[in-house]
Amino acid sequence: MNDMAALLTAIGGLVSALSGAFAVVWTTVRTSRREREDAAPTVLSELADAAADGEITAEELDAIARALRERHDDGGE
């Protein structure tokens, strides 16, 4: 009977771990897609402004990336 209890406990832990992993992946995918959809028009506009002179410099890309990170840290626009 001890072996059966240990087996059921192990199966319960495995099911819990798999459920938690699925929830994390699902939330990450859903949130990531939503954030990409929200950020795309802004980033495209910033890239178009940077390319207006015919060249996108590393400094311009860095500024765009930094602004995107700041918007993400602030919870959006």
Side-chain angles (χ1 to χ4, degrees), residues 11 16 29 42 49 52 56 72 75:
I11 290 173
S16 296
V29 169
T42 305
D49 291 343
I56 299 176
H72 175 59

Side-chain angles (χ1 to χ4, degrees), residues 14-34:
L14 180 63
V15 169
S16 296
L18 290 175
S19 298
F22 175 77
V24 167
V25 169
W26 180 260
T27 302
T28 301
V29 169
R30 295 290 299 158
T31 302
S32 179
R33 186 178 306 143
R34 194 174 314 122

